[in-house]
Amino acid sequence: MFNNLSDKLDKALHVLKGHGSITEVNVAETLKEVRRALLDADVNFKIAKEFTNKVKEKALGQNVLTTLQPGQLMVKIVKDELTELMGGDAEGINLSGTPSIILMSGLQGSGKTTFSGKLANYLKNKKTKKPLLVACDVYRPAAIDQLHVVGDQIGVEVFSDRGNTDPVAISKAGIAHAKANGHNVVIIDTAGRLAVDEVMMTEISNIHKAIQPQETLFVVDSMTGQDAVNTAKTFNDVLNFDGVILTKLDGDTRGGAAISIKSVVNKPIKFIGTGEKMEAIDVFYPSRMADRILG
Ligand code: GDP
């Protein structure tokens, strides 16, 4: 995960990590390299620039050059800023409703259906939760089948209504089914498209208005870098979602989406997907991610 970025940051911070004397020139050179590493990771130019400016400000504020171990302090400042950029503290999901309704949104192929299953499995394993999965993709019968396969695999019931072409009606019927059958969490998997289009945005917005979920999650493929960030912005403008799910981190060597998405949409990354299996789900902890990236 993010190996390219880790290697480049490691190289950038190499001089500071050593024990030689550190000068203003070293620090400036290092920050330039850090910025280059972020740009190579597909972090937006403005964010990369702001990041290094903040690190510089903090370093000046803490009189880095006159401390006993300036290199270590600099590395700590970079790590703290990276944590902050990715969201500070971890944020859980809101499960307050009876049932709690979780709406999944995102483009086709982002990993929505897979993640819906992972989340259902994750909650089911918490013992107090009895989730219901609801299949609302009315365009692709295969998507409904896929959710049923996932549901069977994890032992979670799937509600679907083949032939019904109204996703709002299906989601409402799913919620009614959950209430009647003692499910305390409803996860609604919706239709995506290969790219943002008006029909999809109107549809997801209509579902959102009709069911008023406690939690609206936007699922996005981490490997798509700045595209992921731009798509997040579009969905957030329409849905004002509660959190981001970054999938396919296992295949992402660059990390640009993870690093920049929070500061662009101002919504936390809540979970990450790290593989195709149902168990490949993790709560996103910005500080742990920063530790991983910086080694
Ligand atoms: P949807 O169209 O948004 O519902 O996307 P799917 O859930 O069908 O996922 C698309 C593809 O991505 C499938 O082949 C999944 O197995 C794969 N996938 C989903 N999440 C992950 C992940 O975290 N890591 C990897 N490597 N593959 C994933």
Side-chain angles (χ1 to χ4, degrees), residues 73-131:
L73 182 57
M74 270 301 287
V75 174
K76 184 179 179 307
I77 293 172
V78 171
K79 198 173 271 188
D80 288 350
E81 276 309 311
L82 199 54
T83 303
E84 201 50 43
L85 188 60
M86 289 190 290
D89 296 327
E91 292 197 35
I93 52 174
N94 177 359
L95 295 170
S96 62
T98 42
S100 329
I101 300 166
I102 303 172
L103 178 65
M104 310 300 300
S105 66
L107 294 180
Q108 187 179 321
S110 60
K112 266 190 316 309
T113 303
T114 307
F115 186 78
S116 298
K118 287 180 182 177
L119 184 60
N121 191 42
Y122 174 88
L123 293 172
K124 181 183 162 229
N125 289 339
K126 289 202 175 303
K127 307 295 180 213
T128 54
K129 298 297 172 199
K130 185 184 173 197

Side-chain angles (χ1 to χ4, degrees), residues 133-151:
L133 286 161
V134 178
C136 273
D137 189 337
V138 297
Y139 309 101
R140 295 187 311 132
I144 301 178
D145 296 339
Q146 188 190 346
L147 197 62
H148 276 283
V149 169
V150 163

Side-chain angles (χ1 to χ4, degrees), residues 101 175 207-216:
I101 300 166
I175 294 165
I207 301 174
H208 184 253
K209 279 185 203 135
I211 62 173
Q212 308 212 339
Q214 273 74 41
E215 192 76 25
T216 302

Side-chain angles (χ1 to χ4, degrees), residues 105-116 118 137 140 143 146 150 189-192 219 221 223 246-251 272-277 280-281:
S105 66
L107 294 180
Q108 187 179 321
S110 60
K112 266 190 316 309
T113 303
T114 307
F115 186 78
S116 298
K118 287 180 182 177
D137 189 337
R140 295 187 311 132
Q146 188 190 346
V150 163
D189 186 22
T190 59
V219 182
D221 178 344
M223 292 193 284
L246 263 189
T247 64
K248 311 188 195 181
L249 260 81
D250 48 308
I272 53 176
T274 53
E276 294 188 87
K277 296 214 172 86
I281 167 175

Side-chain angles (χ1 to χ4, degrees), residues 46-57:
K46 195 165 147 260
I47 294 173
K49 192 168 171 204
E50 277 171 13
F51 179 84
T52 42
N53 283 346
K54 271 195 194 158
V55 171
K56 191 171 161 193
E57 239 171 64

